[in-house]
Amino acid sequence: MPNMRDLPKVILASASSRRHELLAHLISDFEIQTADIDETPLLGELPEALVQRLAYSKAQAIWLKNPDAIVIGADTIITYRHEIFGKPTSQNDSMVMLNKLSEQRHIVMTGVVIFAANKKISKVVETEVEFTCLSNQQIQAYWLTGEPQDKAGSYAIQGIGGKFVKRINGSYSNVVGLPLVETQLMLTEMGIHS
């Protein structure tokens, strides 16, 4: 079994504090670097292709600067009736998103890509989330908490937004931003063990 010093460093290519916390459940020793990439969907790009491309682009951007490292890239989006919901651009944008999600089921997709010198693996994980009925007053009050402003779909299941979630089908950690079971399996495939 290799000594920890013999293993390459692991870098998480993400600015998300939620992803940092989740990855810390799997491995104790990793660095954080953020990749500045254009997250605009391509014309006609399907949600699964988008989330995989963004995760890949983040991982690649950091790996090119650290070719001896193992780099983990991840991106999370919400899709409802083939519409992609990223982070809200304004309070009105947030209102529109959450009104659409009210009393409906939507899909949360996270793309995870791991780059190393000799191997690249990727996976997209989907979780179905069902919301309860939301009033405009609830949505406005939620916006004022500041929580939805940097979250895909304009809510955080692990925060105040959790009170809107009636049920989920699939991975909870995926909705937060990093599917733990699948990421653990990918890390094991890369030779990184907790």
Side-chain angles (χ1 to χ4, degrees):
M1 180 138 172
N3 185 307
M4 276 305 284
R5 284 175 303 228
D6 299 333
L7 294 173
K9 70 178 173 181
V10 177
I11 303 172
L12 175 63
S14 177
S16 164
S17 60
R18 281 94 49 208
R19 279 197 196 104
H20 305 168
E21 290 165 13
L22 288 167
L23 186 59
H25 295 315
L26 301 180
I27 53 174
S28 57
D29 189 21
F30 64 94
E31 294 178 16
I32 294 158
Q33 294 185 29
T34 57
D36 185 21
I37 62 160
D38 182 0
E39 299 191 15
T40 309
L42 302 174
L43 190 63
E45 190 171 30
L46 295 173
E48 186 173 343
L50 169 66
V51 80
Q52 193 161 33
R53 178 176 62 82
L54 295 180
Y56 189 94
S57 296
K58 289 178 183 179
Q60 184 179 45
I62 298 304
W63 182 76
L64 288 171
K65 298 176 193 170
N66 303 271
D68 295 330
I70 291 176
V71 180
I72 304 164
D75 194 80
T76 303
I77 61 165
I78 285 173
T79 176
Y80 170 68
R81 293 186 177 170
H82 307 294
E83 189 176 353
I84 296 167
F85 292 177
K87 296 170 186 172
T89 55
S90 65
Q91 182 175 359
N92 186 59
D93 192 27
S94 177
M95 295 281 296
V96 169
M97 284 187 205
L98 292 174
N99 270 308
K100 285 181 180 178
L101 298 180
S102 177
E103 291 189 285
Q104 301 297 322
R105 294 177 187 170
H106 61 273
I107 301 293
V108 179
M109 289 184 188
T110 301
V112 182
V113 175
I114 304 183
F115 261 63
N118 58 350
K119 197 172 192 179
K120 295 168 185 60
I121 55 174
S122 67
K123 185 160 189 65
V124 174
V125 179
E126 296 185 13
T127 303
E128 184 183 70
V129 180
E130 183 178 350
F131 264 25
T132 189
C133 180
L134 306 183
S135 68
N136 280 335
Q137 188 177 357
Q138 282 178 301
I139 295 170
Q140 285 171 345
Y142 182 47
W143 176 262
L144 294 175
T145 68
E147 185 177 272
Q149 292 161 24
D150 68 338
K151 310 290 189 300
S154 204
Y155 77 94
I157 194 171
Q158 74 281 10
I160 302 162
K163 67 183 179 181
F164 303 147
V165 177
K166 193 172 180 180
R167 67 175 58 91
I168 75 166
N169 181 17
S171 166
Y172 171 83
S173 60
N174 183 53
V175 184
V176 180
L178 190 71
L180 289 178
V181 170
E182 293 81 0
T183 304
Q184 174 86 74
L185 290 169
M186 293 170 78
L187 287 168
T188 300
E189 190 178 333
M190 286 298 209
I192 303 292
H193 303 279
S194 54

